[in-house]
Amino acid sequence: MAILVTGGMGYIGSHTCLELLELGYEVVCIDNLSNSSPESIRRVEELTGKSVRAYIGDVRDEALLRQIFAENTIDCVIHFAGLKAVGESVSIPWKYYDNNLNSTLVLTKVMADVGVKRIIFSSSATVYAGDNQMPLREDSRTGGCTNPYGWTKYMTEQILSGMAFADRDWSVVLLRYFNPIGAHHSGRIGEDPQGIPNNLMPFITQVAVGRRERLNIFGNDYDTPDGTCIRDYIHVVDLAKGHVAAISYVMQNQGCEVFNLGTGQGTSVLEMVNTFMEATGVNVPYVFAGRRAGDLPVCYAGTDKSAQVLGWKAEKTLFDMCRDSWAWQSKNPMGYLEK
């Protein structure tokens, strides 16, 4: 069975390609390298001893997509491709709407034309409204997003669910991620953000490796046990395995289903920093800064549906996440720039 992975050279995409190859799937990927590196796929091939058929280009390029489907017998698409920085989306909203929405529209147009109507979409917990009770479940209220990135995920969910409602030949799975961290245990592939990291773990590892002076922790006066925000962090390998589990579902069912991918447990920022130092023996200096606008005190997933329907649950611990993140960063201080 052949899987087309859009954005397959990125952080989550590359780990998913690796899991797919190890389970015997054929993998075809497309990536425009806007926030990724072809080195990731070279290392995936090195780790698995198997090859990926890779195309460099944009998912909005309809002619290229038609070429990919003509040259490969694709059974299912996993759609990661998209811009993903929350803060950046506020400053350049048009670029986010153009890239994230049009990539889906062009992709599904070509898929419909060639008769491949099975797609797994990389969505996000940012689609949930801020006034829900915890844990967030698949039927919790959505909308009211606080940034263009979140709105692009919400709108893409509407596009795909509407298509599946109108045409019962479509099978759509929407996977709402919580906070992916960690790396492959080999340390050969991992998260390599461009510029200043937007997420907690790569900032911690860059401080630990000496690329940054200290970590800023935004807010220590929240109504949480230690005053810092609580989030649901999931190991990227567990996340990748969640996509593999979704393939079996999407190949056997029609319509549209939503699944959370998280651990179901909340971890505070201070707990993360302290666990990282325990797991690695490396000191991470930090200072407290003011709260960031829009940050919720607590956010974590309800994961019962994924366990019951997909037969999937996160297995790796917070210690594993910290250890593997450091294995990647310590072996690749400047990311994929150091081959």
Side-chain angles (χ1 to χ4, degrees), residues 72 203 223 242 273 320:
N72 303 275
F203 214 112
D223 185 17
V273 174
D320 296 333

Side-chain angles (χ1 to χ4, degrees), residues 47-331:
L47 289 165
T48 62
K50 299 178 181 180
S51 63
V52 174
R53 187 157 193 182
Y55 294 81
I56 305 300
D58 199 295
V59 180
R60 293 170 293 179
D61 184 342
E62 184 176 334
L64 177 57
L65 282 186
R66 292 190 183 280
Q67 176 189 340
I68 291 171
F69 279 96
E71 293 177 353
N72 303 275
T73 304
I74 304 296
D75 297 286
C76 173
V77 176
I78 302 179
H79 183 29
F80 292 110
L83 300 174
K84 63 176 187 176
V86 169
E88 182 183 64
S89 77
V90 176
S91 61
I92 50 172
W94 186 90
K95 186 174 182 180
Y96 269 69
Y97 289 118
D98 175 48
N99 186 92
N100 293 4
L101 298 182
N102 280 329
S103 63
T104 302
L105 291 170
V106 174
L107 173 63
T108 51
K109 175 186 177 182
V110 174
M111 289 175 66
D113 287 350
V114 299
V116 177
K117 296 185 177 181
R118 294 175 174 86
I119 185 169
I120 298 164
F121 174 59
S122 166
S123 191
S124 166
T126 58
V127 303
Y128 288 115
D131 58 357
N132 284 297
Q133 291 186 332
M134 297 297 142
L136 292 169
R137 305 189 187 280
E138 287 83 354
D139 59 359
S140 296
R141 195 171 71 83
T142 58
C145 304
T146 59
N147 55 79
Y149 165 77
W151 278 118
T152 66
K153 294 297 187 182
Y154 176 84
M155 292 176 184
T156 301
E157 286 197 2
Q158 300 305 304
I159 292 167
L160 294 173
S161 61
M163 289 169 49
F165 178 80
D167 179 354
R168 292 299 178 177
D169 288 339
W170 278 95
S171 180
V172 175
V173 167
L174 309 174
L175 298 180
R176 293 175 181 163
Y177 308 167
F178 280 69
N179 297 78
I181 63 173
H184 190 259
H185 64 84
S186 66
R188 294 292 289 157
I189 60 173
E191 186 171 11
D192 185 21
Q194 296 182 358
I196 299 173
N198 293 287
N199 300 318
L200 176 61
M201 182 54 79
F203 214 112
I204 290 174
T205 59
Q206 288 189 14
V207 171
V209 84
R211 284 175 62 178
R212 304 194 182 278
E213 183 179 354
R214 63 180 181 269
L215 171 70
N216 289 323
I217 296 177
F218 298 104
N220 64 340
D221 58 350
Y222 288 99
D223 185 17
T224 60
D226 62 21
T228 64
C229 288
I230 290 175
R231 295 291 182 268
D232 188 337
Y233 296 95
I234 177 174
H235 198 295
V236 67
V237 172
D238 279 334
L239 187 66
K241 290 179 177 178
H243 290 77
V244 176
I247 292 172
S248 296
Y249 182 88
V250 84
M251 296 301 294
Q252 297 173 23
N253 296 275
Q254 279 75 45
C256 179
E257 281 293 335
V258 179
F259 298 97
N260 285 338
L261 294 185
T263 64
Q265 297 181 337
T267 298
S268 76
V269 176
L270 273 181
E271 186 180 358
M272 175 68 76
V273 174
N274 290 331
T275 302
F276 181 87
M277 291 192 287
E278 176 190 352
T280 65
V282 180
N283 185 52
V284 178
Y286 62 84
V287 296
F288 292 110
R291 294 185 181 190
R292 291 185 302 191
D295 272 351
L296 296 174
V298 179
C299 181
Y300 62 98
T303 59
D304 290 347
K305 184 179 178 182
S306 295
Q308 292 167 4
V309 180
L310 298 181
W312 171 91
K313 64 177 181 178
E315 298 177 346
K316 294 183 179 293
T317 66
L318 188 64
F319 190 95
D320 296 333
M321 300 178 209
C322 293
R323 179 200 61 213
D324 294 343
S325 293
W326 181 237
W328 153 255
Q329 191 74 80
S330 60
K331 293 177 181 179

